[in-house]
Amino acid sequence: MASLESRDGNFRAVFRLEGEKVARALGTRNQKIANLRFAQVEQRLEQYQLGRLAIPSGCDPVEYILNGSRKPLAAPA
């Protein structure tokens, strides 16, 4: 389960991933945009929990859930 929070006008998503609490800013102060971004986070999180979404190797799982990006964990050597 995830939740959308507002702190000092900034919105953030709060959820558990692999048993750890994650709280990350959604990068907006606009509630409509925050709701849209949060809905995407919830969808990816649900798909992951159901086993329908695999995090690609070399990706930061939190970043992938937050924005679907494939950011590497470490810079290539």
Side-chain angles (χ1 to χ4, degrees):
M1 180 171 192
S3 63
L4 179 64
E5 293 182 355
S6 175
R7 284 210 171 165
D8 300 323
N10 294 307
F11 289 92
R12 68 184 195 154
V14 180
F15 56 93
R16 289 199 168 274
L17 184 65
E18 303 293 329
E20 293 187 35
K21 184 178 178 180
V22 176
R24 293 291 192 281
L26 295 175
T28 186
R29 296 175 73 89
N30 182 301
Q31 182 147 9
K32 287 183 182 181
I33 294 171
N35 286 335
L36 290 171
R37 290 181 185 171
F38 181 70
Q40 292 172 333
V41 168
E42 279 189 309
Q43 182 181 25
R44 282 189 288 270
L45 188 60
E46 181 179 353
Q47 293 299 312
Y48 177 72
Q49 291 171 339
L50 292 172
R52 296 180 182 159
L53 176 70
I55 308 288
S57 63
C59 293
D60 179 351
V62 173
E63 287 297 320
Y64 194 80
I65 295 296
L66 284 171
N67 56 32
S69 69
R70 290 182 163 88
K71 294 182 180 179
L73 291 172

